[in-house]
Amino acid sequence: TGPAPTGPAPTGPAPTGPAPTGPAPTGPTPTGPTGPAPTGPTPTGPTPSAPTPTGPTPTDVPTSGPTSGPTVDYCPELAASSCPADVVHYSTTGSTGFGGAPIRIQSQTSTEVTFSVDNTFGSVLQNVYIEYYALADGTATCSASSNVGLCAADNILYTAHCTGGSPQTLIDMWVTDTTLFDPVADNASIPNTCGAVSGGSSTVKYTFALFCQSTCTVQTNRRLRGASQPQD
């Protein structure tokens, strides 16, 4: 078995070609939709509001009255109400006041009050409008008078109701006269229910509260039986 060959092993060059270095695949990363979220229309309808009553409206407390106006009582001959406290002047819209009260109570029951409307302004009035509760269910009505004569010459009378158990009722009075009232400062508006042909200029609104049940104590001269006589 002769000796194995001991010659050098072949040492040819190893392959040295470059290793592939291309970029790694970078495919898109899946993502969900990123568009804006749907925003449906926001309702923009009107906000409901309670209806405004059309009858005479009070203020919380009586006002101090207008800043100017007649200071003379042009109708001293008119009989005063038996209880002046039953007629309360609540407010004035405008700058012109009045001398004598233009509203007088003529009669009262527990639920009704009859009153007169007088011209206490010193000259014939072009237009007067009165809004009052004419029915027991609280229905208001408005009546108009034109060329109203002085004092009680026109004998204007109305009967108003005290409703809802209240002892008083409200009266709105509009007076329009271009010769007496300021066209700018006297600017009360007259409701359509009054059928006014003017208003908003040379017009004043007066609001009164009238008592169906009198606030005055009834006075009598009757003596109690057995009462002692005053000593001299």
Side-chain angles (χ1 to χ4, degrees), residues 206-228:
Y206 308 101
T207 298
F208 296 90
L210 307 185
F211 281 83
C212 291
Q213 302 173 26
S214 180
T215 59
C216 294
T217 303
V218 177
Q219 300 291 335
T220 67
N221 294 322
R222 292 180 299 174
R223 293 184 182 276
L224 294 176
R225 181 175 298 179
S228 59

Side-chain angles (χ1 to χ4, degrees), residues 37-45:
T39 57
T42 302
T44 58

Side-chain angles (χ1 to χ4, degrees), residues 10-16:
T11 58
T16 58

Side-chain angles (χ1 to χ4, degrees), residues 26 44 60 63-64 72 91 95-96 99 118 129 153 214 223 231:
T26 57
T44 58
D60 291 336
T63 64
S64 58
V72 178
S91 64
S95 65
T96 303
D118 304 316
Y129 305 90
S214 180
R223 293 184 182 276
Q231 301 296 319

Side-chain angles (χ1 to χ4, degrees), residues 129-224:
Y129 305 90
I130 302 293
E131 187 175 44
Y132 62 101
Y133 293 109
L135 300 179
D137 64 1
T139 300
T141 191
C142 189
S143 299
S145 301
S146 300
N147 299 316
V148 178
L150 293 175
C151 304
D154 289 20
N155 193 33
I156 301 174
L157 294 172
Y158 301 107
T159 297
H161 287 261
C162 292
T163 61
S166 173
Q168 61 180 322
T169 185
L170 292 172
I171 307 297
D172 282 339
M173 175 181 183
W174 291 268
V175 182
T176 298
D177 197 294
T178 57
T179 64
L180 289 178
F181 300 148
D182 188 280
V184 177
D186 293 331
N187 59 357
S189 297
I190 304 173
N192 294 333
T193 52
C194 292
V197 295
S198 61
S201 178
S202 300
T203 301
V204 182
K205 175 187 174 183
Y206 308 101
T207 298
F208 296 90
L210 307 185
F211 281 83
C212 291
Q213 302 173 26
S214 180
T215 59
C216 294
T217 303
V218 177
Q219 300 291 335
T220 67
N221 294 322
R222 292 180 299 174
R223 293 184 182 276
L224 294 176

